[in-house]
Amino acid sequence: MGAGRVRGGYLFFVLSVLLFCSPVFASAAPPAGLQVDEIRYGGGGRTTRIVFDLNQQTDFRAFLIDAPYRIVVDLPKAEWKTFKSRLISNNPVIKSYRSGELDDGLTRVIFDIKKPAVINNIFTIAKNGMDKDRLVIDLEPSSPNTFNAQKSRVFGNRQLHGSAAVKTPSGSGYAAIENDLVKAVIPGGTSKPSSILHKEQKIYTIVIDPGHGGEDPGAEASGAKEKFITLSVARELRRQFEETGRYKVVLTRDKDVYIKLHDRVAISRDVKGDLFISIHADKIDRKGVRGASIYTLSEKASDTETARLAEEENNAGFVAGVDLSQETQDVADILLDLAMREKMNESNLFARMLSQSLQRKNVQLLPNSHRSAGFAVLKAPDVPSVLIETGFISNPDEAKLLSSGQFQRNISAAILDGVDGYFRKIQALQKL
Ligand code: ZN
């Protein structure tokens, strides 16, 4: 990796060019917009270096987020001349990156890393002969503790804004490694990076899917029908969610009708749901068994689904915000896989929060209450999805409970609690 390293004989040549051509710098008008030409990797020893090749010098901001470990790099609105998302093979630290545009126009790049690593150094280098303007980030593997300690730090321009003016070359070659503003605003480093990006309160769209319906009654036992329990719970959920003013709720069905599984997923994708929750009630031969459980899509089922989707949607345009029509089959597969994995991470995070909130509200749970399976309704690649088995109607006591308004209010409050916790976490993680 040659970025940032100056080659001996070349230096003299470059210096001469700079000396004799300096009026060019003085008179050059600032270029129109930032452009990311390439993202390169390299390193030596313990250091992994990320280099952004750019068309001009720029302001930047970088910080760490965990669960999973990631590095976030924000730039002013930038045009991409290279892959917007990419899997990185053969790098000991970096797994992949993906980029997107924030609401205020900022360009955000997120690097997924294989293990905790901290930012050792981050700086810009002005263009130099054949080398372009660069943003260089040196990473060093660290302990989880060191990573956590650096999470509260913001490198670069903390106040970076989407419409921020792009810096003109300073001549020194190096921009701020960590500017004073950061230290001034985060005394003691106790603030979380999330606080700097506080946005307007977002209204999240929650898709609630009452299982079964119409000619498909679902499980039937102890005089109870699954399709009625799921619809009652879904309506109670909608009431409680809407009452908060923080959520918009879409039900996949609001009456006793049959809806295909595929159509339930389609609804969730059409309304651009932030979360999909499918409600069910279970039945088993052993009457003693009771308790709720939460399902997310299994890895294996997801792989099959990814392959199918990749095939089906290769020419169909956007999936999970990725324009697949512009990519080759290989790249489309990789991007879809990345999107799917990201949603699975989010689904798993939500399932964990849900399991905790159900316990807090004393909803009885099955042992190992978070499970995975290949449920068709969990297969939207763009919407984090979980399926809740609220309990077993094959257990007469639980059948009675599931049909009661009091239980339905309580489990709905628990689910709302889990959803609140999930979005707080997501906001803290500064998701795209
Ligand atoms: Zn069911």
Side-chain angles (χ1 to χ4, degrees), residues 131-431:
D131 290 329
K132 299 183 175 190
D133 286 301
R134 279 150 289 165
L135 169 63
V136 178
I137 305 160
D138 285 337
L139 302 176
E140 191 164 291
S142 74
S143 66
N145 279 346
T146 311
F147 184 96
N148 280 332
Q150 204 183 77
K151 264 195 318 183
S152 56
R153 258 176 93 173
V154 178
F155 294 84
N157 183 357
R158 183 182 195 283
Q159 310 287 9
L160 189 65
H161 187 269
S163 55
V166 175
K167 274 190 190 169
T168 48
S170 63
S172 76
Y174 289 77
I177 287 169
E178 183 186 11
N179 73 29
D180 293 332
L181 213 50
V182 179
K183 289 171 196 147
V185 189
I186 312 177
T190 49
S191 308
K192 293 269 183 296
S194 57
S195 65
I196 64 165
L197 288 168
H198 184 75
K199 287 193 210 158
E200 298 277 298
Q201 179 79 48
K202 186 183 166 182
I203 303 290
Y204 292 103
T205 300
I206 312 295
V207 181
I208 296 168
D209 173 48
H212 312 277
E215 65 211 49
D216 166 21
E220 285 179 277
S222 322
K225 278 198 171 92
E226 182 183 357
K227 66 174 183 178
F228 294 129
I229 292 172
T230 59
L231 185 56
S232 306
V233 173
R235 286 173 174 160
E236 175 59 20
L237 276 168
R238 175 174 60 191
R239 191 186 68 76
Q240 291 195 20
F241 273 86
E242 286 181 346
E243 209 173 68
T244 67
R246 295 190 296 275
Y247 301 103
K248 185 182 144 198
V249 174
V250 176
L251 299 192
T252 55
R253 69 177 177 97
D254 193 13
K255 47 186 179 202
D256 186 20
V257 288
Y258 174 74
I259 298 176
K260 287 183 193 151
L261 296 177
H262 180 266
D263 291 341
R264 297 170 191 254
V265 178
I267 290 169
S268 157
R269 296 183 67 193
D270 282 351
V271 302
K272 297 192 162 44
D274 293 295
L275 213 45
F276 176 88
I277 305 172
S278 190
I279 304 291
H280 287 255
D282 220 343
K283 181 182 164 179
I284 195 168
D285 286 342
R286 287 169 291 151
K287 282 196 162 53
V289 177
R290 57 183 299 176
S293 49
I294 302 154
Y295 287 85
T296 50
L297 191 62
S298 68
E299 183 93 9
K300 195 160 170 260
S302 140
D303 285 349
T304 320
E305 184 62 13
T306 304
R308 190 192 62 77
L309 263 168
E311 209 168 293
E312 197 176 272
E313 314 228 30
N314 188 32
N315 299 312
F318 286 81
V319 172
V322 176
D323 186 359
L324 297 177
S325 63
Q326 299 297 308
E327 309 289 353
T328 65
Q329 180 66 60
D330 279 357
V331 173
D333 287 353
I334 290 167
L335 295 182
L336 198 56
D337 188 54
L338 264 179
M340 196 82 176
R341 250 156 243 288
E342 176 78 7
K343 291 307 149 194
M344 283 180 71
N345 284 340
E346 289 169 6
S347 304
N348 288 332
L349 169 66
F350 176 46
R352 283 201 301 278
M353 309 296 288
L354 210 48
S355 168
Q356 288 164 15
S357 66
L358 289 170
Q359 276 171 55
R360 276 199 299 275
K361 298 269 183 198
N362 299 314
V363 174
Q364 188 173 343
L365 294 173
L366 279 181
N368 306 317
S369 58
H370 177 194
R371 298 154 179 238
S372 63
F375 286 118
V377 287
L378 299 179
K379 290 180 176 176
D382 4 41
V383 187
S385 306
V386 305
L387 184 149
I388 304 174
E389 292 284 2
T390 49
F392 286 87
I393 60 173
S394 41
N395 177 295
D397 290 339
E398 197 149 82
K400 219 175 282 170
L401 192 67
L402 290 172
S403 306
S404 78
Q406 198 194 341
F407 174 83
Q408 292 174 357
R409 283 191 294 279
N410 187 49
I411 196 170
S412 296
I415 293 169
L416 171 59
D417 195 30
V419 169
D420 279 342
Y422 167 78
F423 284 115
R424 270 199 302 274
K425 186 90 181 173
I426 287 289
Q427 280 168 353
L429 293 175
Q430 280 304 305
K431 305 295 294 185

Side-chain angles (χ1 to χ4, degrees), residues 43-70:
R46 283 172 55 77
T47 301
T48 290
R49 173 165 284 190
I50 303 172
V51 181
F52 285 71
D53 282 326
L54 306 164
N55 66 328
Q56 57 191 276
Q57 290 286 287
T58 182
D59 248 359
F60 60 85
R61 174 172 68 202
F63 52 91
L64 310 178
I65 49 179
D66 63 357
Y69 297 114
R70 278 164 294 176

